[in-house]
Amino acid sequence: MAATAENVAEQLAEVAVEDKPKKEKKEKAPKVPKEKKEGSSGGAGGGGGKDKKKETQLGLSATKNEDFNKWYQELVVASELISYYDVSGCYILRPWAFAMWEVVHRWFDDNIKALGVQNAYFPLFITEDVLNTEKDHVEGFAPEVAWVTRSGNTPMEKPIAIRPTSETAMYPYFAQWIRSHRDLPLRLNQWTNVVRWEFKYPTPFIRSREFLWQEGHTAFATQEEADAEVLQILDLYAGVYEQLLAVPVTKGRKSKKEQFAGALYTTTVEAYIPETGRGIQGATSHCLGQNFSRMFGIEFETEEKTKQHAWQNSWGLTTRTLGVMVMTHSDDKGLVLPPRVAPKQVVIIPIPKGNSSPEVAQGMFDKAAELRKGLEAVGVRVETDLRTNYTPGWKYNHWEMRGLPLRVELGPRDMEAGVVVVARRDTGAKETVAWADLSTRLPALLDTIQAEMLVRARERYDACLETVTTWEDFMAALERKHMVLAPWADEEEVEEDVKKRSATADSMGAKTLCLPFVQPELPAGAVCFASGKPAKNWALWGRSY
Ligand code: 87F
């Protein structure tokens, strides 16, 4: 895949990321990006290309601090995570991205199975009648539902919706399967794609018209069981972000205005992107109460032979996770991947001298292969770059762009001394390690990198969080691109008012990200920063994605 700055720019011509979404123009076919055929790779500048400068420079023309949106859009293409596609708002997840989704998938899947959740698969299509069963809750989303209206040239007798989420697809069958308290709990999950025909600007991973996710749908006999699961799942979501992706999040409850309309309450993990000053919803775990079981007739007979509606939850985590991770850690040289999700964790690069004999070079390559085996035996994911048509410098750039946590260099002097030089992608720090120590030192170093990436990300997160009590301080904090913790009256009208009043000429208004579970003490007599009414709690506010 060619990923020069020029052709990335061409791919991006149609995509812009700004605070204020413009009205969507009539659907315009985006340019299908042309991909160069030969001799270039990974944004490292096209091996053998005639442009000498680009050979060592790198594929990114924008920097993270100066033009974050352009930087991000170039990065996801140059690092071969994403290719643009000729349906606007849809992206190809290339193997480098998909491998990371598989890591998230495997970890979460193992954990929910340990809780007793089973996987299933419901169809992609939903009839109009069923979708409208929960009309009230779908109403706000209706413009985003995509419909199949034709087969070949024949109009369908009734249009069929493509699932935007599967409550309505699943719950009629829950009603059939659940008869007695003995049928509960029913805990199902599915890993699928969903389609939401968004009209806001699309951003790779962060907002796309089709995306991958898991959606869990469960039913219990009691509210206590449902409540407990909501939090167990939210802890797993926080685990995906913090333990796998090294991204700090705040756990909390959504305000009434921001929760899922069909839910009794919604819990969330909220991340933050310091460069854009925007919060981003990481994943949500809803308690649906008995709202859907009433609509869909999901009833069971209790031990006492009475009839009761089931208590339900639903919860979802999407490929957005990867976008938040990329935005959080990456730099002007490319991706910086946390070791636990990196598809490859170490690249070994032999660096023979120009005048090395073929035998000497071969000896180096053999040693690289042997070191790889030793590392793989202890569970490290290793790549060896033995290509002879690229310079070591080009290879360094190439693997830096792809974010591998560690680079292992093996040069002529290292061959004599029985050592390698190990370079960290996250800090650039280098150390010399004896061959015999590699299989203990590298796993330890990968653990250190994983832990330190989270610590550094959390420091940046904390530095962007301000606690305020007045409107003036609130606005000043927003202007500094910060999140704001403020006492508030917990009223929808106040939230709407804040959103309007905090919008400026070039920035959207702020909303509540969540009511954090961990609350500072509210001083006696504390008042809402925006309305002056008695404050009920502390809310986390911010501009957001
Ligand atoms: C778009 C179109 C139609 C979100 C939509 O959060 C319906 C919807 O119901 C819709 N966008 N939602 C809410 C989804 C709620 C819930 N579903 C299961 C989740 C997690 C997974």
Side-chain angles (χ1 to χ4, degrees):
M1 151 76 215
T4 59
E6 289 84 342
N7 97 2
V8 170
E10 190 184 332
Q11 293 197 26
L12 302 177
E14 226 221 351
V15 186
V17 183
E18 277 307 324
D19 272 347
K20 285 183 291 180
K22 290 199 198 106
K23 277 211 198 87
E24 166 112 347
K25 291 170 239 132
K26 269 264 176 289
E27 203 57 19
K28 181 180 89 182
K31 283 187 202 120
V32 185
K34 290 181 210 83
E35 307 203 0
K36 253 199 234 158
K37 295 282 179 315
E38 294 291 334
S40 88
S41 163
K50 43 188 156 58
D51 189 337
K52 195 72 191 155
K53 202 162 141 228
K54 259 194 227 123
E55 188 166 351
T56 49
Q57 206 178 40
L58 268 174
L60 305 182
S61 74
T63 64
K64 189 176 189 181
N65 282 328
E66 277 161 22
D67 191 347
F68 182 86
N69 292 327
K70 188 165 179 227
W71 165 82
Y72 178 72
Q73 310 240 12
E74 288 183 353
L75 170 66
V76 294
V77 173
S79 60
E80 299 182 9
L81 293 177
I82 287 283
S83 255
Y84 283 80
Y85 190 69
D86 70 344
V87 176
S88 165
C90 295
Y91 307 95
I92 299 164
L93 299 185
R94 301 186 67 191
W96 202 242
F98 200 80
M100 292 195 278
W101 180 238
E102 285 178 316
V103 173
V104 171
H105 180 143
R106 199 172 314 123
W107 185 88
F108 187 78
D109 205 57
D110 287 349
N111 274 284
I112 57 175
K113 281 177 180 156
L115 292 177
V117 177
Q118 294 177 296
N119 281 332
Y121 186 79
F122 287 72
L124 169 68
F125 300 114
I126 306 178
T127 62
E128 194 165 15
D129 292 347
V130 165
L131 195 73
N132 285 337
T133 312
E134 58 119 32
K135 209 166 185 168
D136 288 353
H137 307 124
V138 159
E139 209 158 48
F141 299 119
E144 292 178 12
V145 178
W147 294 89
V148 179
T149 58
R150 218 175 66 188
S151 77
N153 285 325
T154 315
M156 310 272 278
E157 208 166 295
K158 285 191 166 174
I160 292 174
I162 302 175
R163 69 171 159 238
T165 179
S166 301
E167 279 80 357
T168 56
M170 292 183 169
Y171 298 167
Y173 302 90
F174 277 38
Q176 290 182 20
W177 299 335
I178 296 170
R179 289 289 140 104
S180 141
H181 63 91
R182 282 181 220 93
D183 300 322
L184 294 173
L186 176 63
R187 307 176 75 184
L188 299 185
N189 176 71
Q190 63 177 10
W191 292 93
T192 73
N193 56 344
V194 280
V195 170
R196 296 179 184 173
W197 215 253
E198 298 259 9
F199 289 91
K200 290 187 186 163
Y201 282 121
T203 303
F205 297 116
I206 302 295
R207 185 185 293 117
S208 53
R209 285 177 168 173
E210 180 186 3
F211 56 85
L212 304 183
W213 75 349
Q214 61 65 221
E215 53 177 322
H217 295 267
T218 57
F220 299 89
T222 64
Q223 175 165 19
E224 291 70 51
E225 291 167 275
D227 284 341
E229 188 204 58
V230 166
L231 296 182
Q232 283 173 334
I233 296 296
L234 197 71
D235 280 342
L236 292 181
Y237 288 158
V240 167
Y241 277 96
E242 300 195 333
Q243 304 314 310
L244 293 186
L245 305 174
V247 171
V249 289
T250 296
K251 289 190 282 185
R253 183 169 60 77
K254 283 286 187 189
S255 69
K256 281 279 170 255
K257 177 167 156 50
E258 292 299 324
Q259 76 174 44
F260 171 36
L264 189 60
Y265 62 90
T266 293
T267 67
T268 180
V269 288
E270 296 287 322
Y272 197 70
I273 309 299
E275 289 78 7
T276 57
R278 297 220 222 160
I280 183 161
Q281 179 176 298
T284 47
S285 175
H286 313 279
C287 179
L288 305 177
Q290 293 171 311
N291 295 346
F292 284 86
S293 61
R294 290 206 185 92
M295 284 186 287
F296 286 89
I298 305 173
E299 274 187 315
F300 66 97
E301 191 178 73
T302 64
E303 265 180 279
E304 296 73 36
K305 308 278 179 216
T306 61
K307 286 267 184 196
Q308 262 193 32
H309 286 108
W311 290 84
Q312 291 182 272
N313 295 336
S314 76
W315 26 274
L317 174 93
T318 79
T319 36
R320 169 178 277 195
T321 45
L322 300 182
V324 176
M325 180 275 285
V326 168
M327 288 182 168
T328 300
H329 300 299
S330 303
D331 63 22
D332 295 343
K333 293 180 178 179
L335 299 178
V336 180
L337 300 179
R340 288 189 71 181
V341 285
K344 297 283 181 185
Q345 298 164 314
V346 175
V347 58
I348 305 176
I349 303 181
I351 32 182
K353 279 215 190 98
N355 57 4
S356 295
S357 69
E359 292 73 32
V360 169
Q362 190 56 49
M364 245 178 219
F365 287 10
D366 292 346
K367 180 47 81 176
E370 183 192 319
L371 296 177
R372 174 183 188 151
K373 268 209 185 126
L375 286 166
E376 283 177 344
V378 293
V380 179
R381 298 190 284 272
V382 188
E383 183 72 57
T384 41
D385 192 342
L386 309 183
R387 292 177 289 181
T388 52
N389 55 333
Y390 293 101
T391 64
W394 187 94
K395 290 179 183 179
Y396 292 1
N397 291 343
H398 175 80
W399 295 107
E400 276 173 355
M401 175 60 77
R402 290 166 74 100
L404 272 73
L406 291 174
R407 177 178 75 228
V408 170
E409 305 165 7
L410 180 62
R413 261 184 267 147
D414 304 320
M415 285 297 283
E416 279 163 27
V419 299
V420 290
V421 174
V422 179
R424 279 173 68 160
R425 175 66 180 89
D426 63 328
T427 60
K430 287 191 175 190
E431 65 181 83
T432 301
V433 180
W435 294 343
D437 298 336
L438 269 186
S439 62
T440 50
R441 180 59 189 147
L442 292 203
L445 200 47
L446 290 169
D447 286 347
T448 303
I449 293 171
Q450 182 78 37
E452 290 184 3
M453 284 179 72
L454 177 61
V455 168
R456 286 195 306 269
R458 183 166 280 135
E459 281 166 5
R460 295 194 299 271
Y461 187 94
D462 290 345
C464 291
L465 176 59
E466 293 190 47
T467 303
V468 310
T469 55
T470 66
W471 178 258
E472 291 68 34
D473 290 348
F474 175 80
M475 285 307 294
L478 282 186
E479 288 319 296
R480 282 189 283 271
K481 293 190 175 176
H482 287 172
M483 289 175 282
V484 197
L485 194 63
W488 84 301
D490 202 342
E491 288 176 2
E492 209 163 325
E493 305 82 72
V494 177
E495 187 164 1
E496 270 155 24
D497 179 58
V498 170
K499 190 169 183 176
K500 270 188 225 133
R501 281 204 287 155
S502 59
T504 63
D506 39 30
S507 293
M508 61 168 71
K511 62 185 190 185
T512 57
L513 305 174
C514 70
L515 308 173
F517 287 155
V518 178
Q519 291 262 322
E521 206 181 318
L522 201 59
V527 294
C528 173
F529 77 104
S531 66
K533 295 180 187 176
K536 294 216 182 80
N537 45 43
W538 291 89
L540 184 63
W541 298 79
R543 300 197 160 108
S544 75
Y545 278 91

